Amino acid sequence: MFKILEKTELAANIWQMRIEAPRVAHSARPGQFVIVRVDEQGERVPLTISDYDPAAGWVAIVVQTIGVSTKKLCALGAGDSIADFAGPLGRPSEFVSEPPESLRTKRILFVAGGVGTAPVYPQVKWLHEHGVQADVIVGAKSREMLIMTDRMRAVAGNLYIATDDGSEGYKGLVTGLIGELIEKQGKQYDLVVAIGPMIMMKFVAATTRKYGIKTIVSLNTLMVDGTGMCGACRVSVGGRTVFTCVDGPEFDGHQVDFDEAMRRQGMYRSLEQRAEKIAQERAEGHVCKIGLDK
């Protein structure tokens, strides 16, 4: 069992949990993820690592209550434990293997959308600790949905906020802010890393292609078992089929077939809606006699 050391509400229906997991914390690198299972009957939930401390032995995850399993997880509190916390899984961010001297010559921009801010933070923090000051855009629908901005500001070279309704920072989409930084403020970037909703990453990649900037995206939301055995996370990158969990989760954004990826993601959304309906009926005392709730 893995103990929840701390639980903090970051925004409506978005929680951060620090989990006691010394072995995972010791091996974790930016860009990787874990598989969480609340109890013996729970489903496997892939969650990106949002922070970690090898010395203290904890790993932080950020969870948005969307489906049955995430609601069950977020119903737990500090002092409770979860059954499984497997990881770190996936490949670390590409820049982790680069010499710090080389990284310091690069101009890097991170674009985080919504809960995607969580996996961006450890990457920017790692770069900061190695003397690299990256720019960061954090986007959300409104000020109330922004998360981790204070922590991000402490490690970013420059932090830019974009909200759809203009309640904080730039009014509009993150793609518009990218254009403004480059065209109006004279910013130049060698690399863009975008993590957030699939549709956001698709249009960020389309925007950066116009400027000829290498772009990395994270397809962490497609994963199921996290080991490459189920094949559910397969996606086309550069015309080749890859598995998000073992070949990624980060890929060249200009090579990803986003339309295919979003179709696959939509299939999972339908299954999650069915699971939520079954859980609701069970809670109300309904017992299916013919096995349709399996």
Side-chain angles (χ1 to χ4, degrees):
M1 302 292 283
F2 296 84
K3 186 177 180 181
I4 300 171
L5 301 175
E6 182 182 84
K7 177 184 176 185
T8 307
E9 187 174 20
L10 302 179
N13 300 318
I14 302 176
W15 300 84
Q16 177 173 278
M17 294 181 174
R18 289 190 180 184
I19 311 295
E20 186 176 42
R23 294 177 66 181
V24 180
H26 178 74
S27 302
R29 296 293 182 270
Q32 292 184 296
F33 66 97
V34 293
I35 292 288
V36 176
R37 199 163 61 129
V38 177
D39 53 36
E40 293 297 323
Q41 288 74 44
E43 68 173 336
R44 300 161 64 91
V45 181
L47 296 167
T48 45
I49 295 170
S50 65
D51 201 0
Y52 56 93
D53 188 326
W58 56 258
V59 175
I61 54 174
V62 171
V63 189
Q64 186 171 22
T65 55
I66 296 175
V68 174
S69 296
T70 50
K71 289 178 181 177
K72 192 173 184 179
L73 175 59
C74 291
L76 301 177
D80 292 329
S81 295
I82 56 179
D84 295 318
F85 194 81
L89 299 169
R91 297 176 181 271
S93 300
E94 189 177 282
F95 60 73
V96 172
S97 61
E98 291 188 45
E101 301 78 27
S102 174
L103 286 172
R104 292 184 195 119
T105 67
K106 294 185 177 181
R107 297 157 297 186
I108 305 173
L109 172 66
F110 286 85
V111 184
V115 181
T117 307
V120 163
Y121 174 73
Q123 299 192 33
V124 179
K125 178 183 176 183
W126 188 93
L127 288 170
H128 176 75
E129 291 171 346
H130 288 79
V132 183
Q133 300 301 305
D135 286 356
V136 181
I137 294 175
V138 173
K141 290 182 178 179
S142 66
R143 175 189 298 163
E144 290 73 27
M145 296 303 294
L146 291 167
I147 64 170
M148 302 177 70
T149 52
D150 289 341
R151 274 175 280 179
M152 194 74 80
R153 187 173 285 107
V155 295
N158 295 288
L159 177 64
Y160 304 97
I161 304 294
T163 52
D164 293 359
D165 64 0
S167 53
E168 184 165 339
Y170 175 85
K171 182 179 181 179
L173 303 177
V174 293
T175 49
L177 183 49
I178 292 171
E180 179 154 312
L181 290 177
I182 294 173
E183 295 180 11
K184 295 185 178 180
Q185 297 190 29
K187 291 280 189 175
Q188 295 182 344
Y189 296 106
D190 304 301
L191 173 67
V192 170
V193 180
I195 306 180
M198 197 75 71
I199 191 69
M200 183 211 83
M201 292 188 291
K202 174 182 177 178
F203 283 103
V204 167
T207 300
T208 57
R209 184 183 288 111
K210 180 176 65 175
Y211 296 112
I213 307 171
K214 178 181 177 180
T215 300
I216 300 297
V217 299
S218 179
L219 305 182
N220 52 67
T221 56
L222 285 178
M223 293 180 290
V224 178
D225 84 333
T227 65
M229 295 180 66
C230 72
C233 70
R234 62 187 181 275
V235 67
S236 297
V237 179
R240 185 171 63 93
T241 299
V242 297
F243 295 99
T244 299
C245 60
V246 293
D247 297 317
E250 296 184 351
F251 299 98
D252 182 339
H254 296 158
Q255 297 293 317
V256 172
D257 185 336
F258 281 104
D259 293 335
E260 177 194 61
M262 287 189 288
R263 285 195 299 271
R264 186 172 297 280
Q265 190 178 43
M267 177 183 68
Y268 296 149
R269 191 175 296 113
S270 298
L271 293 172
E272 183 58 53
Q273 289 168 349
R274 179 176 182 272
E276 188 166 13
K277 183 63 175 177
I278 289 171
Q280 180 184 342
E281 290 176 347
R282 284 176 176 169
E284 293 170 353
H286 174 74
V287 179
C288 181
K289 304 293 188 182
I290 59 174
L292 293 179
D293 62 345
K294 301 301 183 185

